[in-house]
Structures are given as structure tokens and as C-alpha cells.
Amino acid sequence: MKNPQEVFNSHMKAVESLNPLTVLEDYSDDAEFITPDHTYKGKEEILSFYKNLLPNFDGFEFKTIKQETHNDLVFFVWYGQNKLINVEFATDTYIIKNGRITQHTFAGIIN
């Protein structure tokens, strides 16, 4: 079973693949993903989020400000851009149990 840091690393590679089904593999069946606009519950709802989001990240260059792992928690602060989207500042928090993301929060300033 992957530890939380390994799950985070896998998740970042999955996001870079731009494949929502690959990203979804890191989540537990009953995961919750909370954003400022909506709370997504379960893989089906989370999949719909990534299907809409990931096309905007083609050629995106992530810049990490801070990433820390403490027990089951991964904290990630970042920014980046491509020709479609400019993320001035963003933060994600992941709770990872039994090798899967069970809870995920996101907030950011996006133009």
C-alpha cells in the first residue's frame, strides 16, 4: 500500500496526464472533494469535476511554493499558468488513508 507521500506523487503524475480516469484512481470510492463552489461526493461526482477541469491544464507549468506531508495529511501550495489559465495562488489539502485520497480541499485565485 502506498504511503500518503506516494499517493500525492501518483496524483500529481495523474493530473499531468490530463486523463480524468487516471486521476480518479487515487480517490477512495466515498471520497469528498471540497472547493469554494461545490462539494463533490464520491468518484462519479469527482470524475465530472476533473472532466471539466483537466482540458484547461494542457501545457500547464506547476510551481510549488510548499508541500508537506504529516501522517495522513498532505498540504500543497502552488501556482502556475499556461495559455488557457493563470493560477496566481492555490492550495490543496489531502487526507489519505489506506493508500487512497479520502478527503481533498482546494481553494485558489484563478484568472
Side-chain angles (χ1 to χ4, degrees), residues 9-38:
N9 294 344
S10 171
H11 183 67
M12 292 307 295
K13 286 180 185 174
V15 168
E16 289 175 5
S17 79
L18 304 179
N19 183 333
L21 292 174
T22 303
V23 173
L24 201 62
E25 291 175 9
D26 292 316
Y27 288 88
S28 66
D29 291 339
D30 60 349
E32 294 179 335
F33 180 19
I34 302 168
T35 72
D37 299 324
H38 190 76

Side-chain angles (χ1 to χ4, degrees), residues 1 5 9 25 28 40 45 50 56 59 69 72 76 82 93 95 98-100 107-108 110-111:
M1 180 181 332
Q5 183 62 51
N9 294 344
E25 291 175 9
S28 66
Y40 302 88
E45 289 185 17
Y50 281 110
N56 296 310
T69 301
D72 293 341
F76 181 47
N82 64 9
T93 300
I95 304 297
N98 299 318
R100 297 275 185 244
I110 302 171
N111 296 311

